[in-house]
Amino acid sequence: MDFLTREDYPDNWLSETREQFCGLEYADWKALLADVGFEIDPASGAWRNDWIVDHRLAPVASLSAPDGRPLDWPVTHVLLVARRPVNT
């Protein structure tokens, strides 16, 4: 996914490779923030942007299981609203 999210930026490839995407899954982000005392707002969630899949990813790649069965694209975005509880 890191490569696929950068493949259409050849003019500034070096600066793009300094960014990091896809390092953690949604559950990992939630756990990390909860471990340091944040509460996760119920409005938070992960989703797949089908426009990105249809226009950027699927035209240049596909996903398949070891047996060749096609796989769905994973989520592409996370919106995480985290609040630190106020001490009373």
Side-chain angles (χ1 to χ4, degrees):
M1 287 300 288
D2 269 343
F3 173 76
L4 290 173
T5 58
R6 295 180 174 98
E7 59 87 22
D8 55 355
Y9 296 103
D11 293 339
N12 58 342
W13 181 260
L14 185 58
S15 65
E16 290 292 325
T17 60
R18 292 188 178 125
E19 295 179 2
Q20 181 179 351
F21 300 100
C22 312
L24 297 175
E25 293 185 19
Y26 178 65
D28 298 323
W29 281 111
K30 283 177 54 176
L32 178 72
L33 289 167
D35 287 349
V36 294
F38 283 90
E39 293 177 353
I40 308 304
D41 189 281
S44 301
W47 75 95
R48 181 179 68 207
N49 182 320
D50 289 328
W51 187 94
I52 288 177
V53 170
D54 294 342
H55 293 93
R56 294 188 60 204
L57 304 178
V60 297
S62 62
L63 299 178
S64 60
D67 64 3
R69 178 178 39 89
L71 297 174
D72 287 335
W73 287 97
V75 299
T76 58
H77 290 76
V78 169
L79 172 65
L80 199 76
V81 179
R83 295 184 179 89
R84 186 174 300 275
V86 178
N87 293 333
T88 56

